[in-house]
């Protein structure tokens, strides 16, 4: 009886495969499985942050195109992650040891998502390296080229924070500033804390393969 049922099952499977030969193609099955994996990953990347997430405020500001407020929130997030307070500054050790790849990735992902890959830390790192900078040492001329391309400089002078372009029309990589004190009276090199600090942050981004 069992052999009879098993034989009928084999016959049934052969009929199905004959009617739908594409199902027997292992390559197609592999492609379908691969695409399913890609879709799941895409859904993870683009799904909104939960309301209780530390990144939900940043996401809401970016979704509303409130670019300056989002930049300020990014700075606050970095302060929180490095366990620092406004006015106390951030040091290189805090960036290296206290910010995880997941945390820096979340910030970068949201900026890239809502700017359609125009803004973000990883975008800045690409431009930083393309303009001849490296993550080991500071080169004044290359750093100025970097500032020119991001729109942080004009007529060979660094802009003040209040002069930056907080809109979707800003140059690629213009935002976020991320490292600064909220003082619109100073120019970018001064409120960057130090150029070494920005290099350390960019090194972290590259280390995390963003």
């Amino acid at each position: 009886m069992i052999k009879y049922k098993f034989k009928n099952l084999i016959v049934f499977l052969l009929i199905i495969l004959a009617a739908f030969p594409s199902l027997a193609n292992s390559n197609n099955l592999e492609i379908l499985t691969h695409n399913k994996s890609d879709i799941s990953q895409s859904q993870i990347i683009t799904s909104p942050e939960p309301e209780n997430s530390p990144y939900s405020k940043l996401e809401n500001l970016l979704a509303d195109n409130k670019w300056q407020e989002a930049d300020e929130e990014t700075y606050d997030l970095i302060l929180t992650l490095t366990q620092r307070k406004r006015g106390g500054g951030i040091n290189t050790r805090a960036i290296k040891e206290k910010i995880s790849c997941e945390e820096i990735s979340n910030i970068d992902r949201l900026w890239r998502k809502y700017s359609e890959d125009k803004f973000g830390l990883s975008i800045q790192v690409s431009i930083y390296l393309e303009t001849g900078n490296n993550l080991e040492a500071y080169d004044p001329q290359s750093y100025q080229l970097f500032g020119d391309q991001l729109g942080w400089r004009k007529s060979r002078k660094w802009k003040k924070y209040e002069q930056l372009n907080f809109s979707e029309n800003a140059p690629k990589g213009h935002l976020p500033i991320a490292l600064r004190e909220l003082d619109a009276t100073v120019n970018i090199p001064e409120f960057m804390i130090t150029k070494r600090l920005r290099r350390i942050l960019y090194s972290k981004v590259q280390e995390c393969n963003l």
Side-chain angles (χ1 to χ4, degrees):
M1 183 69 177
I2 295 175
K3 289 183 178 180
Y4 178 76
K5 289 183 177 180
F6 183 71
K7 183 177 180 181
N8 285 345
L9 177 61
I10 293 176
V11 172
F12 175 75
L13 290 174
L14 289 174
I15 293 173
I16 293 296
L17 291 175
F20 303 98
S22 61
L23 293 177
N25 190 326
S26 60
N27 290 332
N28 287 342
L29 291 175
E30 182 179 352
I31 291 172
L32 288 172
T33 304
H34 178 72
N35 288 342
K36 182 179 180 181
S37 175
D38 288 346
I39 292 172
S40 299
Q41 183 66 18
S42 175
Q43 289 172 344
I44 292 172
I45 291 174
T46 59
S47 59
E49 294 293 326
E51 290 185 6
N52 61 346
S53 166
Y55 310 98
S56 58
K57 181 178 179 181
L58 175 61
E59 178 163 33
N60 291 335
L61 291 170
L62 290 169
D64 291 338
N65 294 333
K66 295 181 178 179
W67 305 108
Q68 183 169 353
E69 292 91 333
D71 183 59
E72 294 172 2
E73 175 62 15
T74 300
Y75 179 61
D76 282 339
L77 275 172
I78 291 177
L79 285 175
T80 299
L81 295 174
T82 55
Q83 300 176 8
R84 310 291 289 185
K85 295 181 179 180
R86 288 196 182 192
I90 306 171
N91 57 46
T92 57
R93 183 176 179 180
I95 291 178
K96 288 180 178 179
E97 298 180 359
K98 296 186 181 298
I99 301 181
S100 69
C101 284
E102 180 182 1
E103 290 164 340
I104 202 71
S105 175
N106 284 334
I107 293 172
D108 183 61
R109 171 177 58 83
L110 291 173
W111 274 98
R112 293 190 63 162
K113 174 183 176 181
Y114 288 100
S115 68
E116 297 182 351
D117 282 338
K118 189 169 189 178
F119 303 141
L121 295 172
S122 59
I123 300 294
Q124 291 175 355
V125 171
S126 296
I127 298 173
Y128 185 83
L129 297 174
E130 288 169 2
T131 49
N133 292 276
N134 67 73
L135 300 171
E136 302 299 327
Y138 167 67
D139 179 74
Q141 291 184 339
S142 296
Y143 198 75
Q144 288 172 3
L145 288 175
F146 172 66
D148 289 338
Q149 191 156 333
L150 264 61
W152 290 355
R153 279 168 41 100
K154 184 177 182 180
S155 302
R156 299 184 179 182
K157 293 182 179 180
W158 292 90
K159 294 180 180 180
K160 296 178 181 179
Y161 187 73
E162 61 187 2
Q163 297 172 325
L164 298 178
N165 186 347
F166 293 102
S167 76
E168 58 270 20
N169 297 321
K172 186 173 183 177
H174 192 71
L175 299 171
I177 300 299
L179 299 173
R180 65 181 190 82
E181 295 294 344
L182 298 180
D183 186 352
T185 64
V186 296
N187 59 28
I188 286 181
E190 291 169 333
F191 68 57
M192 276 184 179
I193 316 299
T194 64
K195 299 175 183 67
R196 172 173 168 75
L197 191 62
R198 186 164 290 277
R199 288 206 320 275
I200 296 301
L201 179 64
Y202 287 168
S203 295
K204 186 76 177 184
V205 171
Q206 191 175 60
E207 174 190 327
C208 297
N209 296 317
L210 301 183

